[in-house]
Amino acid sequence: MTALRATGVERTFRHASGPVPVLRGVDLEVAAGELVTLSGPSGSGKSALLAVLAGFDRADAGTVELAGEVLTSPPPWKVCALLPQALGLAGELTLAENVALPIRLGRAGGSLDRVTELLEELGVGELADRYPGEVSFGQQQRAALARAVIGEPRVLLADEPTAHLDQRTGPTAVHVLRRAADAGAAVLVATHHDEVHRAADRTLVLDRGRISVG
Ligand SMILES: Nc1ncnc2c1ncn2[C@@H]1O[C@H](COP(=O)(O)OP(=O)(O)OP(=O)(O)O)[C@@H](O)[C@H]1O
Ligand SMILES: [Mg+2]
């Protein structure tokens, strides 16, 4: 079953220096249970695409369907979670509070019991009571991953989730993403890392605003 479908998605940023066309008709599908990686050079539009798919940004043309429903505004928070490239942790909340936040706001399903478990699995359990400004960027990234997966969304979008991780923590993050797919989520991961591509079922390439391989 297709859990994520984009059809003819276009996005042009209106910049003072002129229009910046980034997405020029993106078509893609990710099935429930699939882990798909999204590759493409820096600046090719991977983050722009994930933001549109998550409903954080609006396409100029085209449609996005999540779990069979056309994406609306506000987006269906419980269906889809995005781990943004810039992480987006709230600086005034501890790592544990950040991970719990989507559940506490009613924007994700899942159990608060898993907050500690997920942080421990990702190797930041001892840092649960620290604020993002008191831990490294890679440690923040692992907390942001925990926040994205805790609600067990049907569609999980992760933007370079291993960018700041090392040889020990990277594979754990990949394992958490793979497990989400194996549990039935449609998982789309923008990445430059081979270890993530190797764990994927297939790879899509974003090239000049369109999917060129997939
Ligand atoms: N608000 C904006 N206004 C104008 N141009 C923008 C804006 N946001 C992004 N862009 C441009 O859109 C293009 C795509 O950016 P995007 O961040 O999606 O790339 P990316 O593929 O995720 O790159 P990276 O691998 O470096 O993360 C870039 O050329 C960028 O400069
Ligand atoms: Mg990016």
Side-chain angles (χ1 to χ4, degrees):
M1 189 197 71
T2 300
L4 169 65
R5 177 183 283 122
T7 312
V9 166
E10 296 178 17
R11 184 72 175 104
T12 295
F13 293 111
R14 309 283 157 200
H15 194 260
S17 59
V20 185
V22 175
L23 305 176
R24 299 165 180 257
V26 171
D27 298 316
L28 64 82
E29 291 185 359
V30 183
E34 244 191 334
L35 173 62
V36 175
T37 45
L38 178 64
S39 146
S42 176
S44 59
K46 301 179 298 297
S47 296
L49 176 58
L50 292 191
V52 166
L53 297 177
F56 280 40
D57 186 24
R58 194 105 55 109
D60 299 310
T63 53
V64 174
E65 287 168 62
L66 298 172
E69 303 283 334
V70 173
L71 182 62
T72 49
S73 180
W77 301 111
K78 286 189 181 172
V79 175
C80 178
L82 171 67
L83 163 50
Q85 189 166 8
L87 308 184
L89 292 176
E92 71 278 25
L93 300 179
T94 66
L95 298 192
E97 288 167 346
N98 267 283
V99 177
L101 192 62
I103 298 177
R104 291 202 186 281
L105 291 175
R107 290 189 171 185
S111 162
L112 288 170
D113 295 343
R114 292 209 65 221
V115 173
T116 308
E117 201 179 299
L118 271 170
L119 288 172
E120 278 173 5
E121 179 179 21
L122 287 161
V124 285
E126 288 180 5
L127 309 176
D129 294 330
R130 291 216 210 157
Y131 293 89
E134 298 173 334
V135 303
S136 78
F137 212 68
Q139 290 163 341
Q140 290 181 45
Q141 184 153 47
R142 285 177 272 156
L145 174 59
R147 186 189 53 187
V149 300
I150 194 158
E152 299 176 1
R154 291 173 70 180
V155 178
L156 174 60
L157 307 169
D159 199 346
E160 309 212 12
T162 57
H164 305 283
L165 304 186
D166 58 22
Q167 287 176 344
R168 193 171 52 84
T169 53
T172 313
V174 173
H175 171 74
V176 167
L177 294 165
R178 181 69 252 180
R179 186 176 60 202
D182 291 343
V187 184
L188 180 63
V189 185
T191 185
H192 296 287
H193 285 176
D194 286 344
E195 69 195 86
V196 192
H197 292 307
R198 278 195 295 272
D201 297 302
R202 60 194 170 92
T203 295
L204 303 174
V205 180
L206 190 58
D207 179 27
R208 281 160 286 181
R210 291 199 180 85
I211 300 296
S212 68
V213 180

